[in-house]
Amino acid sequence: MLDHIEKLLLLQERDRQIAQLEAELADIDPHRRFALQTLEAAKNDLESLKSRVKKLETERNKLELEVKEKKQLIEKYSLQQFQTKKNPEYQALAHEIENCKRDISNIEDRELEVLEQIDATQKQVAAAAETLKQLSQRVEQQLETFAHRETSLKQRLAELARGRAELAASVDADLLPRYERLRKSKGQRAIVGIEHSVCGGCHVRLPAQVVVGCKASQEIMICPNCGRILYYTHDMNTAAAE
Ligand SMILES: [Zn+2]
């Protein structure tokens, strides 16, 4: 194998490692955002349950006040009954008192329902608070793991970048710009093998003289179709697949 090719393959492998670590690094942030969103949602759940309890308690107080007012009315009507001497007026007041009693009974039924709702919602609050507590711990651990991972990936990337500069400097000065251009236009595979006599990049069948040129390892061969740099190793089978 040409020395140029060997160095270029090392550089390409280094670039592949760098790209992989960069992808892993880029993947951390969405995961971190998701963890924080989950935590935020759990906090919101708890808050909305708490405010539901407050609303129900306000309603309960309102109902209690209504009962109190109805009882005061009954007292007032009873007093008026006691003072009146006219029978129709007495009957009318008795009717009013009955109405008040019926209202009180209805309000107390409603109050009982509200109390049950308060009880059930308070249980939900306790469960949501426990969920939030556990989730907070978990998210805290996750964030720590993400931060560690980020630091170590950045360190590793810095090491790889230093090594890459050395590798790039060792590559033939004419070949390097072609490689860099190919990497921009074709992605990670700029230099490819010729297994089954097809270009390992675009998979188009290579002309016989290109395959022979690759095998001879005397000069750099280029895929006439996609422009990628080609290389040959002895373990490649160059018999064309039908
Ligand atoms: Zn090609």
Side-chain angles (χ1 to χ4, degrees):
M1 191 191 284
L2 279 170
D3 184 45
H4 291 331
I5 293 289
E6 222 164 309
K7 283 172 176 157
L8 209 50
L9 280 169
L10 286 174
L11 182 62
Q12 177 163 271
E13 172 55 18
R14 176 60 56 109
D15 283 336
R16 191 194 60 76
Q17 290 172 345
I18 289 173
Q20 193 191 324
L21 293 191
E22 278 173 346
E24 284 176 35
L25 189 62
D27 196 41
I28 291 178
D29 216 35
H31 279 92
R32 179 166 33 216
R33 273 205 302 276
F34 179 74
L36 288 171
Q37 277 166 5
T38 311
L39 188 62
E40 199 56 34
K43 281 181 189 166
N44 289 341
D45 280 351
L46 179 60
E47 284 315 306
S48 80
L49 283 169
K50 278 183 180 171
S51 83
R52 176 137 198 267
V53 171
K54 265 188 200 150
K55 255 188 211 162
L56 287 166
E57 276 169 351
T58 307
E59 192 181 349
R60 184 194 159 195
N61 291 340
K62 199 180 124 230
L63 293 171
E64 272 184 355
L65 196 70
E66 281 176 28
V67 169
K68 208 172 148 193
E69 284 165 1
K70 295 284 175 193
K71 282 182 177 164
Q72 283 168 351
L73 270 181
I74 291 175
E75 274 176 37
K76 194 180 100 184
Y77 294 147
S78 303
L79 190 66
Q80 285 173 352
Q81 262 185 331
F82 182 71
Q83 289 162 345
T84 188
K85 292 186 174 62
K86 297 170 197 154
N87 201 37
E89 200 176 328
Y90 187 93
Q91 289 303 330
L93 286 164
H95 185 67
E96 286 304 323
I97 288 169
E98 278 315 302
N99 280 349
C100 283
K101 282 181 179 166
R102 203 188 51 234
D103 288 348
I104 286 173
S105 166
N106 286 339
I107 294 166
E108 281 174 346
D109 283 350
R110 172 70 194 134
E111 209 182 333
L112 217 62
E113 277 171 31
V114 171
L115 277 173
E116 275 167 14
Q117 284 174 0
I118 288 175
D119 197 42
T121 314
Q122 268 166 347
K123 278 180 188 142
Q124 288 177 309
V125 166
E130 183 56 30
T131 302
L132 179 61
K133 191 180 142 202
Q134 286 174 9
L135 189 67
S136 295
Q137 286 169 352
R138 202 161 68 231
V139 167
E140 200 180 317
Q141 282 168 359
Q142 281 177 329
L143 292 181
E144 231 171 85
T145 308
F146 291 150
H148 280 304
R149 181 138 184 73
E150 217 164 38
T151 309
S152 86
L153 280 171
K154 280 177 181 167
Q155 275 170 1
R156 184 90 187 95
L157 272 169
E159 284 163 22
L160 287 177
R162 275 196 295 278
R164 189 205 188 265
E166 284 166 32
L167 282 172
S170 75
V171 171
D172 179 75
D174 292 334
L175 206 52
L176 188 61
R178 174 179 276 272
Y179 169 77
E180 299 286 20
R181 269 200 312 278
L182 281 167
R183 222 162 57 84
K184 279 200 187 92
S185 61
K186 312 281 185 200
Q188 285 183 41
R189 288 161 61 73
I191 170 163
V192 294
I194 57 163
E195 191 83 42
H196 300 305
S197 292
V198 299
C199 164
C202 68
H203 304 291
V204 161
R205 175 85 171 267
L206 294 162
Q209 75 268 24
V210 174
V211 176
V212 171
C214 283
K215 283 174 142 178
S217 291
Q218 294 299 313
E219 54 180 326
I220 298 294
M221 302 304 286
I222 301 297
C223 169
N225 182 54
C226 69
R228 285 186 177 89
I229 303 160
L230 302 170
Y231 74 97
Y232 168 79
T233 53
H234 291 291
D235 58 336
M236 286 177 193
N237 176 9
T238 54
E242 289 308 319

